[in-house]
Amino acid sequence: MKIAILPGDGIGTEIMAEAVKVLAVLDLKFETETALVGGAAYEAHGHPLPEGTLNLAKAADAVLFGAVGDWKYDKLERQFRPEQAILGLRKHLGLFANFRPAICYEQLTHASSLKPELVAGLDILIIRELTGDIYFGQPRGRRVAIDGHFPGAEEAFDTMRYSKPEIERIAHVAFQAARRRNKKVTSVDKANVLETFQFWKDVVTEVHAQYPDVALEHMYVDNAAMQLVKAPKAFDVVVTGNMFGDILSDEAAMLTGSIGMLPSASLDKSNKGLYEPSHGSAPDIAGKGVANPLATILSAAMMLRYTLNQPEAADRIESAVKAVLSAGLRTGDIWSEGTQRVGTRAMGDAVVAALSGKTITTITKG
Ligand code: IPM
Ligand code: MG
């Protein structure tokens, strides 16, 4: 087994170091190879997703990804911006199914901006289609308008589109995931306005016929955004398109107190995957040793479970993370009165200690 390690930019390198440390104590047989991606790759090779990095990702059994992006690249031509690396990996590896769990850990119920009773025990799964929709739809670009409200004016346009097989395969993924959970799927659309999402709704309904044991509800995206903060526990699996999924998954993440806790998986049709924390590169705190490495560590656990067939090792990591939280250790993003503030490295060390069965008492500085 080979894991491609792509730390990326900003806090990416710091959080990845902790995840690699955790993987190393598990006593599993795998090889790792590290490569540059995002802004770091652009600086070194003039492209955010150099061929060597892409080939490594393709050849590996799984990819563990940190984060990419920095404001300093905002002025670059789009094709050279760090975000193109993750979009390119999704496209070239065919990673169409994005799993974004939003789990509120018991120990962090009070870190949520919502009332504790609304989020206590929250465990929902957002499944976002990741290689279609307005993100990848062609044509797109800038031109002079020939119609619309201002003919002759400069305009920009993107194309929202979904083919039937694209919707079918993500619907299957969602229904199958729901079968392993609480057997409910909420399909989020904008069928009242958009042709693409009326089609989405029709196709999801058709696929549902094969899953009579799973309940299906349809919800408009604006209402879903509202229900997520009103009664988030009413959801189980949410399935939606690329654009709506981008927005709703950030919203859902925040219900749990910190996006710094949430892992994600992006899978292809044979469960090969890229695993990354749901948060970004946080350039404002990069290099300070204060970032929360738990989302990346939990992403490594997801990788062991979904792609590398090591569910026990995944369980061990997840239990170790809970043990560390129960011991009261917190990075700044999840810190609250009465808990102990620690840095990135100390948090990683504590997870390693918990994995080795040590009581978490001695804390490394930094
Ligand atoms: C995400 C991010 C990406 C997206 C960006 C970095 C391109 O926001 O993974 O949610 O929009 O998909
Ligand atoms: Mg996003």
Side-chain angles (χ1 to χ4, degrees), residues 100 128 135 246-247 249-250 278:
R100 297 195 167 179
R128 168 187 176 195
Y135 266 60
D246 178 45
I247 300 165
S249 62
D250 265 27
S278 284

Side-chain angles (χ1 to χ4, degrees), residues 1 23-31 304 308 310 313-314:
M1 290 187 305
L23 282 170
V25 297
L26 286 174
D27 248 353
L28 301 171
K29 284 209 173 21
F30 52 70
E31 235 184 279
L304 290 165
L308 302 178
Q310 301 280 350

Side-chain angles (χ1 to χ4, degrees), residues 11-313:
I11 59 171
T13 43
E14 298 158 60
I15 54 180
M16 187 60 81
E18 302 313 312
V20 169
K21 207 156 79 181
V22 166
L23 282 170
V25 297
L26 286 174
D27 248 353
L28 301 171
K29 284 209 173 21
F30 52 70
E31 235 184 279
T32 60
E33 191 176 332
T34 304
L36 295 176
V37 75
Y42 175 77
E43 305 276 357
H45 304 292
H47 198 281
L49 183 57
E51 226 176 281
T53 303
L54 179 59
N55 288 338
L56 169 67
K58 280 183 176 164
D61 296 290
V63 180
L64 193 57
F65 188 93
V68 290
D70 193 311
W71 303 299
K72 69 181 178 210
Y73 303 115
D74 280 0
K75 291 207 169 66
L76 285 179
E77 240 181 90
R78 181 170 304 281
Q79 56 172 350
F80 296 121
R81 289 193 207 160
E83 291 79 5
Q84 291 304 310
I86 186 67
L87 294 170
L89 283 165
R90 288 171 185 170
K91 178 175 158 193
H92 292 294
L93 300 181
L95 306 171
F96 71 92
N98 184 215
F99 288 66
R100 297 195 167 179
I103 295 172
C104 187
Y105 286 85
E106 185 197 318
Q107 299 91 336
L108 299 181
T109 309
H110 290 273
S112 173
S113 47
L114 293 194
K115 294 192 192 99
E117 62 268 26
L118 285 184
V119 294
L122 180 77
D123 178 354
I124 63 182
L125 175 62
I126 302 213
I127 297 186
R128 168 187 176 195
E129 199 291 329
L130 204 57
T131 51
D133 203 352
I134 198 165
Y135 266 60
F136 290 96
Q138 295 290 341
R140 58 191 282 163
R142 294 197 184 198
R143 64 187 171 193
V144 173
I146 49 165
D147 49 18
H149 293 297
F150 293 98
E154 242 191 298
E155 72 170 4
F157 64 103
D158 296 275
T159 303
M160 177 178 273
R161 58 189 284 187
Y162 264 122
S163 64
K164 192 167 184 191
E166 281 178 294
I167 304 169
E168 284 170 341
R169 64 182 180 176
I170 197 72
H172 282 292
V173 166
F175 288 123
Q176 280 161 23
R179 268 194 178 152
R180 299 188 296 267
R181 299 171 46 97
N182 294 323
K183 300 193 167 53
K184 180 179 169 191
V185 169
T186 305
S187 171
V188 173
D189 63 56
K190 190 71 187 173
N192 50 346
V193 178
L194 301 171
E195 203 56 44
T196 311
F197 276 91
Q198 178 60 57
F199 187 52
W200 172 282
K201 184 174 178 179
D202 295 345
V203 176
V204 171
T205 305
E206 215 176 290
V207 173
H208 179 232
Q210 297 174 46
Y211 299 89
D213 52 321
V214 178
L216 170 66
E217 72 176 351
H218 300 279
M219 199 178 277
Y220 297 142
V221 62
D222 48 353
N223 186 26
M226 194 164 72
Q227 297 306 324
L228 268 175
V229 288
K230 188 177 168 217
K233 284 191 266 184
F235 293 100
D236 177 22
V237 172
V238 174
V239 66
T240 190
N242 206 346
M243 180 86 233
F244 299 156
D246 178 45
I247 300 165
L248 293 181
S249 62
D250 265 27
E251 188 189 3
M254 214 48 227
L255 302 175
T256 70
S258 171
I259 200 167
M261 290 298 299
L262 298 177
S264 79
S266 305
L267 303 180
D268 75 358
K269 56 182 187 307
S270 45
N271 273 0
K272 173 174 166 172
L274 178 147
Y275 297 82
E276 58 174 324
S278 284
H279 60 72
S281 56
D284 53 327
I285 56 164
K288 296 188 178 153
V290 297
N292 187 347
L294 294 179
T296 313
I297 291 170
L298 291 167
S299 298
M302 270 185 119
M303 171 178 80
L304 290 165
R305 177 168 294 117
Y306 286 100
T307 297
L308 302 178
N309 270 320
Q310 301 280 350
E312 279 154 33

